[in-house]
Amino acid sequence: MTYCVAMHLADGMVFISDSRTNAGIDQISTFRKLFIFSTPGERLIVLQTAGNLATSQSVVNLLKQRCSGPGPHLLNVRTLYDATVLVAETVREVVARDRTKLAGKTDLSCSFLVGGQIAEGAMDVYSIYPQGNFIQATEDTPFLQLGESKYGRPILDRNLTYRTSLEEGLRCGLISFDSTMRSNLSVGMPLDLLVFRKDSFASAKSYRITADDPYFMRIRMQWAAGLQDMLAALPEPPDAYMSGGCQ
Amino acid sequence: MTYCVAMHLADGMVFISDSRTNAGIDQISTFRKLFIFSTPGERLIVLQTAGNLATSQSVVNLLKQRCSGPGPHLLNVRTLYDATVLVAETVREVVARDRTKLAGKTDLSCSFLVGGQIAEGAMDVYSIYPQGNFIQATEDTPFLQLGESKYGRPILDRNLTYRTSLEEGLRCGLISFDSTMRSNLSVGMPLDLLVFRKDSFASAKSYRITADDPYFMRIRMQWAAGLQDMLAALPEPPDAYMSGGCQ
């Protein structure tokens, strides 16, 4: 499995991806699922992927290769919307190419999150479905997820709004990953993250959080201890709860 | 959808079920999913259900009806294991009866949690799969879930062990339901809960938590506020997190 989150907040964007892939339960590997296409000072486009690894790697390779060609590519399209259409078309192209008799019933589909900002355009985050159509994050729904999304969703639903600061959005996202990784072994370290401050175009680098990262270890421990304290601090249940009130 | 939890702890058992059912997104109703079969002082058997409502209601009705008949039934079987076999056989019987041409491709399957204690026997909690086979909670895995289990699972994974007290297990379970209901509208109030203290056979009544239940409202608010405070109290992310450390 995979877990990826992309947030579109008032001040910028936060992207976090895990890196665990598995083909069956006994073939587990580490592959990066967060990719950056950028022209310093002009554009930053972040891709995050889930689904069939062969498909998503081919899509990213083709998108990269074509950046030096004459056609439309991620470094010359004019809008984030056009960039998303291009990624979706490339997904369809690869699936059509690989969907041969040999592939049989193998599920070749994959999903992408595409986010970023180009020149003076607005920031945007899109989620491309395996079918190739896509939706967009909005002020009402400022985050999109890929993959194993349910374990880590409550903390985002509860605490993330469009006005949340980048720092708090990042902490909220990291706790969402912590919860997911504790409950589902198919989502795992290291994590790749990128925080982009609106109009900055400066942060075209991602940061890799490894299992021994001191900050992440610290907030994981602080969170776990805090939850235990909070549970213990909840008031005692009424007697009716403990002994039944009605049949 | 449905969300049910059954805990098998050292001191007793905790059962919590939601009551929302839906046939499609626009046909939503309230149906009890927690049922009690008991002989005061001798046995308590709790059933929780998820899946096709017609099937699960038929199963419960047949199980009740047969309690006054001559054959093996839930009030005369000798062990929790035998009770679980009986429930599983009744599920298969109803599905076989209703799986006609008229049913077409309707999914008739349902799942059950069966928990309780009979006379001097041990407490046990079983989870019956739609196929009719079943697993059992153990000291290593002291809780079983039905239905929409992922949203509410992290708090159980983090904080629930076999040695957790009944009161703390109940609080932990209620927070698990709170998280699930906030993230998934198909799980909803009222909740039915039953706490059984080992060897007591006294608590053969369930308690219904309605939307305006003062205790549940209080812990939901306290929990939400506490999470916000905890997030805000996490240390600031290092600069490398915010600006990218390596490509």
Side-chain angles (χ1 to χ4, degrees):
Chain A
M1 279 300 281
T2 286
Y3 181 37
C4 297
V5 173
M7 304 175 189
H8 179 176
L9 308 178
D11 295 341
M13 291 175 295
V14 176
F15 306 91
I16 316 177
S17 297
D18 89 313
S19 61
R20 186 159 293 174
T21 65
N22 61 298
I25 187 65
D26 59 349
Q27 196 177 337
I28 293 179
S29 312
T30 301
F31 284 97
R32 167 179 281 266
K33 301 170 192 174
L34 185 151
F35 303 92
I36 298 168
F37 292 78
S38 76
T39 305
E42 194 261 341
R43 73 176 60 206
L44 174 79
I45 300 176
V46 178
L47 265 50
Q48 294 167 280
T49 74
N52 186 294
L53 183 66
T55 303
S56 66
Q57 285 192 336
S58 260
V59 169
V60 172
N61 271 316
L62 285 174
L63 289 168
K64 273 189 192 160
Q65 240 172 245
R66 289 169 182 173
C67 280
S68 51
H73 56 68
L74 289 184
L75 298 185
N76 70 9
V77 290
R78 284 181 37 238
T79 65
L80 243 294
Y81 182 89
D82 290 347
T84 307
V85 170
L86 193 63
V87 175
E89 281 172 355
T90 312
V91 172
R92 290 193 181 117
E93 175 191 340
V94 171
V95 171
R97 182 194 73 188
D98 289 352
R99 197 196 287 131
T100 62
K101 280 192 181 172
L102 270 181
K105 290 192 173 176
T106 308
D107 182 4
L108 298 171
S109 69
C110 70
S111 314
F112 273 85
L113 296 177
V114 180
Q117 188 179 16
I118 296 178
E120 278 85 39
M123 298 185 299
D124 263 316
V125 174
Y126 294 90
S127 175
I128 305 176
Y129 294 117
Q131 292 77 5
N133 55 347
F134 48 85
I135 58 166
Q136 181 179 7
T138 63
E139 288 199 27
D140 291 326
T141 304
F143 68 92
L144 296 170
Q145 301 168 291
L146 281 189
E148 190 56 282
S149 59
K150 292 186 181 182
Y151 298 109
R153 178 145 185 159
I155 190 71
L156 301 173
D157 277 337
R158 285 174 184 275
N159 295 286
L160 198 72
T161 72
Y162 182 67
R163 300 283 160 204
T164 301
S165 74
L166 283 177
E167 290 76 8
E168 178 128 350
L170 173 57
R171 290 195 295 252
C172 193
L174 292 174
I175 296 302
S176 174
F177 271 79
D178 178 36
S179 296
T180 305
M181 292 189 294
R182 279 173 187 267
S183 287
N184 189 331
L185 286 180
S186 75
V187 175
M189 306 281 288
L191 307 181
D192 292 304
L193 85 88
L194 191 146
V195 179
F196 175 83
R197 207 168 288 278
K198 188 179 176 183
D199 300 326
S200 72
F201 300 108
S203 172
K205 290 177 175 176
S206 64
Y207 180 80
R208 174 155 279 199
I209 303 177
T210 54
D212 59 355
D213 183 281
Y215 175 73
F216 191 52
M217 283 169 69
R218 184 169 159 205
I219 64 169
R220 293 185 90 170
M221 282 168 51
Q222 188 169 329
W223 191 259
L227 286 178
Q228 272 194 320
D229 293 346
M230 269 175 57
L231 263 185
L234 290 177
E236 286 295 310
D239 287 346
Y241 274 55
M242 298 302 291
S243 59
C246 55
Q247 185 76 41
Chain B
M1 280 298 282
T2 286
Y3 182 38
C4 298
V5 173
M7 305 176 187
H8 179 176
L9 308 177
D11 295 341
M13 294 176 292
V14 177
F15 306 91
I16 318 176
S17 298
D18 89 313
S19 60
R20 186 160 293 175
T21 67
N22 62 299
I25 186 65
D26 58 349
Q27 196 177 337
I28 292 176
S29 312
T30 300
F31 283 97
R32 167 178 282 265
K33 301 170 192 175
L34 187 151
F35 303 92
I36 299 169
F37 292 78
S38 76
T39 304
E42 194 261 342
R43 73 177 59 207
L44 174 80
I45 302 177
V46 178
L47 267 50
Q48 296 167 281
T49 72
N52 186 294
L53 182 66
T55 304
S56 65
Q57 284 192 337
S58 261
V59 170
V60 172
N61 271 315
L62 286 174
L63 289 167
K64 273 189 192 162
Q65 243 171 243
R66 289 168 182 173
C67 280
S68 52
H73 56 69
L74 289 183
L75 297 185
N76 70 8
V77 290
R78 280 181 40 239
T79 65
L80 243 295
Y81 182 89
D82 290 346
T84 307
V85 170
L86 194 63
V87 175
E89 280 172 358
T90 313
V91 172
R92 290 192 181 117
E93 174 191 340
V94 171
V95 171
R97 181 195 72 187
D98 290 350
R99 199 197 284 129
T100 60
K101 279 191 179 171
L102 270 181
K105 291 191 173 176
T106 306
D107 183 2
L108 297 173
S109 68
C110 69
S111 314
F112 274 84
L113 296 177
V114 181
Q117 189 178 17
I118 296 178
E120 277 85 41
M123 296 184 300
D124 263 317
V125 175
Y126 294 89
S127 174
I128 305 176
Y129 294 118
Q131 292 79 6
N133 55 349
F134 48 86
I135 60 168
Q136 181 177 8
T138 64
E139 288 198 27
D140 291 327
T141 304
F143 67 92
L144 297 170
Q145 301 168 290
L146 281 190
E148 189 54 283
S149 60
K150 293 186 179 182
Y151 298 109
R153 180 149 182 155
I155 191 72
L156 300 172
D157 278 338
R158 287 173 182 275
N159 295 287
L160 197 72
T161 72
Y162 182 67
R163 299 284 161 206
T164 300
S165 73
L166 284 177
E167 288 76 9
E168 179 128 349
L170 173 59
R171 289 195 295 253
C172 195
L174 292 175
I175 297 300
S176 173
F177 272 78
D178 179 36
S179 297
T180 306
M181 291 190 294
R182 279 173 187 267
S183 286
N184 190 330
L185 286 182
S186 75
V187 175
M189 307 281 288
L191 307 181
D192 291 304
L193 85 88
L194 190 148
V195 179
F196 175 83
R197 207 167 289 277
K198 187 179 175 183
D199 300 327
S200 72
F201 299 109
S203 174
K205 290 179 179 178
S206 63
Y207 180 80
R208 174 155 279 197
I209 303 178
T210 52
D212 57 355
D213 184 281
Y215 176 73
F216 192 51
M217 282 171 69
R218 183 169 159 204
I219 65 170
R220 294 185 90 169
M221 281 170 52
Q222 187 169 330
W223 192 259
L227 286 177
Q228 271 195 320
D229 292 347
M230 271 174 59
L231 263 184
L234 291 177
E236 286 294 310
D239 287 347
Y241 273 53
M242 299 301 293
S243 59
C246 54
Q247 185 73 42

